[in-house]
Amino acid sequence: MTFTRRNFLKSTAVAGVAGSVGFPHIWIKDSGVAWAANGEIKVGVLFSLTGTTAVVEKSMHNATLMAIDEINAAGGINGMKLTAVVEDPASDPATFADKANKLVLNDKCVSVFGSYTSASRKAVLPVFEKRKNLYWYPTLYEGRECSKNVMYTGAVPNQQQKDFIPWLVKNFGKKFYLIGSNYIYPKEENNVCKILLKELGGEVVGEEYVPLGHSEFGSVLNKFRETKPDVIFSTVVGDSVIALHKQYKAAGFSPDKMPMASLTTSEVEIAAMGGEYAAGHFTSAPYFMGHQSKENEVFVENYRKRFGKESVTHFVSEAAYFQMHLFRKAVEKIGKGDITPIAVRDATAGLEIMAPQGKVKVDGDNLHCYLWPKIGQAQADGQFKVIQQSSDWVKPEPYWAYPGQSCTKDGLKGA
Amino acid sequence: MDIFFGQLFTGLSIASILLLVALGLAIIYGAMGVINLAHGEFVMLGAYGTWFLQSQFGLPLIPCLLLVFFMVAAAGWVVESTVVRFLYHRPLDTILATWGIGIMLQQAVRLSAGAELRYVQTPEFLSGSIDIAGVGIPSYRLFILALTAALLALTWFVIQRTEFGMKLRAVTQNREMASCYGINSARVYSLTFAFGSGLAGLAGALVAPIKSVAPDMGTNFVVDAFMVVVVGGVGSLIGTVVSSGLLGSGTAGIAFLLNDTLAKALVFLAVVVLVRFRPQGLFVDQRRR
């Protein structure tokens, strides 16, 4: 915003109405007035529309824009319209950081919504911490992070696995084979899995990581044959998920005896491999498209109306959707002149909202969300049948696997 | 024992896919000396061609294969006659030009077919597995193995036993001299490039049902294909066969004993060492250049 006389008068007026801090308010660089000017609130939308992860990020982008339009159609936030500033970081962490800088400094977005991969989140983190801005991250991830400038609305390991592992042990057996892509997320998830298995008297008969983008699972399948696990615990991501499922079925394995239990296989991956390859396998996630609730019905219907009959919603697009409504609810609580990224964060802490997956709540200390983990079984039509839902929302514990460490209001304790 | 047998088959299967992808490159690189970095994209075009024919016209895989071969061969012919033809005397520029073509093809597919992963159906009768010596062998992989052998035989036949092949061998040995004898070397090169591209397309169509179809799927294939050709020895068909066998079973074996990440690294290391001490590859081409 340039400092013309007109803007100056308007700012002064708004600051006057808000009357909270008074005079210095308009002169300080981070003043609330700049964040919500001319009756609009600018938010950054930072999902890759091109590049390797565009497949998934496009759906998150869509869900985010849909939520913004819903909010505007209902009259905006306290009479102010939400304006989306869209950037395409092209699946490249360095570009993520550049675009984040631009959204925060040039466009003066009060919050930025984005990222699928942990690499891209880690790349933008310094920008948001340095500029005291706020990033909204809708993806399930490995935990072990405690930034005060990020709202985490996806699941962390303890939420996805706490019910899942005991259920798998009870129904299929104690021998697990852990297979993942070779990067941080699968390794952290497997740490949690191993701890849970140990408590249950289970056994890890193999642990293996394949390169990202790997598509030749012949040798891995032979190891399954040799070690005869009861469950294959998969944190393979991206294209590899498709190759793994196809080759698993072609090798003559059956999910009745040795199912794959995944934290990453969603409706999107199934659409890309064909339902018959996924049928019978299990995924644990807070949300499935097939979940029965009034909110989800509306969400799916609107999404399909807008993006086509064939389009699917899945756990990350759902989080991308509800986090925008969380943002709305938080900003509604703040006076017009007091809107700053930090005020938005403080207003979001402890907030509850009805999401398609159920009622979620933001933890006041670690800024992660209380979620409703579900166990879904993939069906031949490409949907998941929800087999079990946790009886209560599950508290997010990003440092679950690291006793003594916890993420508190003042940052990481005990590290 | 059955694990050993299963692993042997896995090695063979990986080798057959390597050979399939490298065959077209072996011809283009071996005969014409063109380093075609767009080779992976021809593989990708083949996979997308199959997806397109299947999703739009409901064609089953087998007839798709034939159509895709000619479609991608046509694309190769166009690339040869518009770009590569003018660069035969500038090998370094060919690398840059074909790389650029590769990027353009990738983006063109991304824009037209979308960035989503696509899926190609396995024919019903090949989707199961066959029990051999107590090991479930995926029938589709057997199918690939058989088809690769057939394509290899076909390629050998074309090069060694047809008039076109004779001309190709003549042009490969000495282009000027061959032209003096009345061989239309430009035409021979065009057709060779088209044939090599067609084989790449076929490879793409064949791997599509077991892997995922995405615009950037070619990148991995082109690296593997070059590795096979360089190890085998440029211009040697038998070298290509042997080196894909070695690399395939090597990768599978190490992946089984250790893991896939290490297998990739160790195989690369072995190739680097080999190329250091035997730059001409395993099988030396006896021809004069």
Side-chain angles (χ1 to χ4, degrees), chain A residues 209 219 222-223 246 272 277, chain B residues 7 10 119 122 255-256 258 261:
Chain A
Y209 301 93
S219 298
N222 281 336
K223 288 189 210 175
K246 284 186 168 180
Y277 293 102
Chain B
Q7 195 51 35
T10 303
Y119 95 97
T122 318
F256 184 72
L258 302 166
T261 310

Side-chain angles (χ1 to χ4, degrees), chain A residues 52 55 182 208-211 214-216 218-220 222-223 225-226 239 242-243 246-247 250-252 271-274 277, chain B residues 3 6-7 10 14 17 115 117-120 122 128-129 136 138 141 208-212 216 252 255-256 258-261:
Chain A
T52 47
V55 185
N182 195 12
E208 172 149 17
Y209 301 93
V210 297
H214 190 66
S215 63
E216 180 54 71
S219 298
V220 171
N222 281 336
K223 288 189 210 175
R225 219 187 287 279
E226 193 192 1
D239 308 9
I242 290 134
K246 284 186 168 180
Q247 293 169 24
M273 73 176 92
Y277 293 102
Chain B
I3 290 300
Q7 195 51 35
T10 303
I14 296 178
I17 292 171
L117 299 165
R118 299 297 183 180
Y119 95 97
V120 170
T122 318
S129 60
R141 293 214 175 219
I210 48 171
K211 305 198 169 179
S212 58
D216 48 6
F256 184 72
L258 302 166
N259 64 54
D260 276 292
T261 310

Side-chain angles (χ1 to χ4, degrees), chain A residues 184-197:
Chain A
I184 178 80
Y185 169 75
K187 293 186 177 176
E188 290 290 340
E189 289 286 2
N190 285 346
N191 277 344
V192 172
C193 179
K194 281 185 271 186
I195 294 173
L196 285 168
L197 266 184

Side-chain angles (χ1 to χ4, degrees), chain A residues 63 71 92 120-121 135 147 150 156 160 163 174 214 218 255 262 285 308 319 324-325 363 378 384:
Chain A
I71 292 165
D92 170 44
S120 66
R121 185 191 69 254
Y135 197 54
S147 173
V150 180
V156 286
Q160 274 182 292
D163 293 347
K174 292 182 169 178
H214 190 66
S262 172
M324 185 58 76
H325 284 288
D363 186 275
F384 282 94

Side-chain angles (χ1 to χ4, degrees), chain A residues 301-315:
Chain A
E301 194 188 313
N302 289 344
Y303 193 89
R304 291 201 146 173
K305 213 181 275 167
R306 193 167 162 161
F307 303 107
K309 282 206 306 290
E310 298 295 308
S311 55
V312 292
T313 59
H314 58 136
F315 42 78

